[in-house]
Amino acid sequence: MPSPTLRGRPARLATVALCLLLGGCGSLRYYAHVAHGQASLLMHRRPIAKVLQDPATDPTLARRLRLAAQARRFASAALALPDNRSYTSYVDLHRPYVAWNVFATPPYSVEALPQCFPIAGCVAYRGYFDQSRARVRAAELKAQGEDVWIGPVPAYSTLGWFADPIVSSMLRWDDDDVAGTIFHELAHQRLYVKGDTAFNESFASFVEQEGLRQWRKARGLPPPGSRDQAMEHGFTALVLDLRERLRRLYASRDDPAKLARGKQAQVDAFRRRYAQWRDSRWSGDRRYDAWVEAPINNAKLLPFGLYDRWTGAFAVLFEQAERQWGAFYAAVGTLAEKPEAERTRELEHLAAAKNHAP
């Protein structure tokens, strides 16, 4: 969510696969917009090799694309991720983000108003390549009384339907984040369960995290720093706690005026808890201040928790597969084929094993 931005994982809470490209929708105008946006990306792709050969290419851009190309090759050779043309080309967007996702909830609910598509299933947002269209949609929902939040999207995936490029907005991040994003999005291409966002994002996040550790080791670098990750996890826990408190408040079914007061009181209390956590645990590090100080509603809380709900479970599954990617993907594929309730029970069991590990 750059400028103001959150670094690391929270910065990519809206970096969900733009999978609405893969199905129809209720509005032909919307479908035409998405088709035009995707076509524009495909038309403006340049193979990274040609960008690197161009004498007009900025040296900093060249260095970063060269490293991204190395990470792309590592993804297939070492992580058994799809070996295709995705992330072997580059697009300069000439805009800050590749897309914008519109999230919405009822005013007194923390459940998303879902958007459902034939191939991708139901997701918690609708994506737009044009920010003005996202704002129009958000205004329409707000006029209907819904809570709305627009999440910028620096990176995206079509789940392998097209050869997705590296886009300039991805280069806002540091080198590890760019490499990790390539691993993450290719994991979506490797396996995707229709309609189960938490499963899909947790799986891809585990592949990203483990892949990044292996990528750094292969380059003679130490593991990724633990401070940023610990702070991200702590902040996410605070936000999820707020969401749970609001869930309990709304379950009371009080009259709207009382719910509105309670909602604001919970947000105010969250800001106080955040300030105490920031100052007592992180020496006043203010990287999340802009997010916290901006208006907070139910929709803004939706993306949190999607990426890491089951990462611990997938870590256990990886160990059970003796840290072999092929065996791991096979085990995840078997899990993905089970009915959702059974799949969730197995994930809960694996997560519990992770939590109780010495």
Side-chain angles (χ1 to χ4, degrees), residues 337-348:
E337 292 174 356
K338 297 185 177 183
E340 183 174 2
E342 184 178 351
R343 184 167 66 240
T344 299
R345 284 196 298 271
E346 289 206 24
L347 287 167
E348 289 172 343

Side-chain angles (χ1 to χ4, degrees), residues 88-159:
T88 63
S89 61
Y90 173 70
V91 172
D92 188 341
L93 295 169
H94 300 290
R95 61 179 188 263
Y97 301 100
V98 64
W100 288 263
N101 285 340
V102 178
F103 295 82
T105 71
Y108 304 118
S109 172
V110 292
E111 302 301 325
L113 296 176
Q115 302 291 321
C116 298
F117 306 97
I119 294 176
C122 294
V123 293
Y125 56 87
R126 177 178 285 198
Y128 295 83
F129 285 113
D130 185 329
Q131 186 180 19
S132 63
R133 290 177 182 267
R135 287 172 172 168
V136 168
R137 177 57 177 165
E140 291 172 350
L141 290 165
K142 191 172 182 179
Q144 297 169 16
E146 315 293 3
D147 275 12
V148 182
W149 181 66
I150 300 176
V153 182
Y156 87 117
S157 166
T158 58
L159 308 182

